Amino acid sequence: TLVGNNHQRRTLPMLIDTSASITVLTTAQADALQLTAIKTKTRNIKTFQGTFAARIATLPAIELGPLSIPNLEVAIIADGKFTEYGLLGMNLLKRYLFVLDDERNELTLIPDPH
């Protein structure tokens, strides 16, 4: 569940991408959370499909099960340029020890003691 400005909440499917350095949202997802209404900076994001200009914003929170991760930096990429889903990138995943279970289609996050 993504928590946007003014406490908008959207439960959205997201892909786990361990090669993505930053969490990515589409413009439509960012608009629904009112992230595009705030000042954003621009950064070029390199992907396997090429380089894209992305606006960088701060997502007030993302909730994964019982975990709530505040103030997560996200890249906003234009709809149709990259993926229809958001990507959970390493700027979120590196905060945890994580286990991906393909058979169960499950992600387990364990707080990293370091």
Side-chain angles (χ1 to χ4, degrees), residues 70-113:
N71 303 318
L72 183 68
E73 186 176 68
V74 295
I76 302 168
I77 295 180
D79 295 340
K81 285 280 188 182
F82 183 57
T83 177
E84 65 184 278
Y85 301 108
L87 301 176
L88 292 179
M90 287 305 295
N91 67 325
L92 180 143
L93 296 171
K94 73 181 178 185
R95 299 175 186 199
Y96 301 92
L97 300 173
F98 61 92
V99 178
L100 296 172
D101 186 333
D102 284 338
E103 276 185 29
R104 293 184 178 159
N105 197 29
E106 187 175 88
L107 168 67
T108 302
L109 298 172
I110 304 162
D112 189 348

Side-chain angles (χ1 to χ4, degrees), residues 3-102:
V3 181
N5 294 328
N6 300 317
H7 305 286
Q8 292 89 349
R9 299 170 62 81
R10 299 284 190 267
T11 300
L12 301 170
M14 300 202 49
L15 303 174
I16 298 165
D17 189 344
T18 59
S19 67
S21 60
I22 189 170
T23 297
V24 176
L25 300 178
T26 66
T27 301
Q29 292 167 332
D31 287 346
L33 297 164
Q34 293 187 348
L35 293 181
T36 53
I38 61 173
K39 278 190 166 183
T40 55
K41 53 187 172 183
T42 302
R43 184 186 308 163
N44 285 330
I45 304 294
K46 293 181 183 178
T47 73
F48 68 93
Q49 292 180 343
T51 301
F52 299 98
R55 288 178 289 148
I56 306 299
T58 299
L59 182 66
I62 185 168
E63 298 170 350
L64 301 168
L67 300 173
S68 181
I69 298 96
N71 303 318
L72 183 68
E73 186 176 68
V74 295
I76 302 168
I77 295 180
D79 295 340
K81 285 280 188 182
F82 183 57
T83 177
E84 65 184 278
Y85 301 108
L87 301 176
L88 292 179
M90 287 305 295
N91 67 325
L92 180 143
L93 296 171
K94 73 181 178 185
R95 299 175 186 199
Y96 301 92
L97 300 173
F98 61 92
V99 178
L100 296 172
D101 186 333
D102 284 338

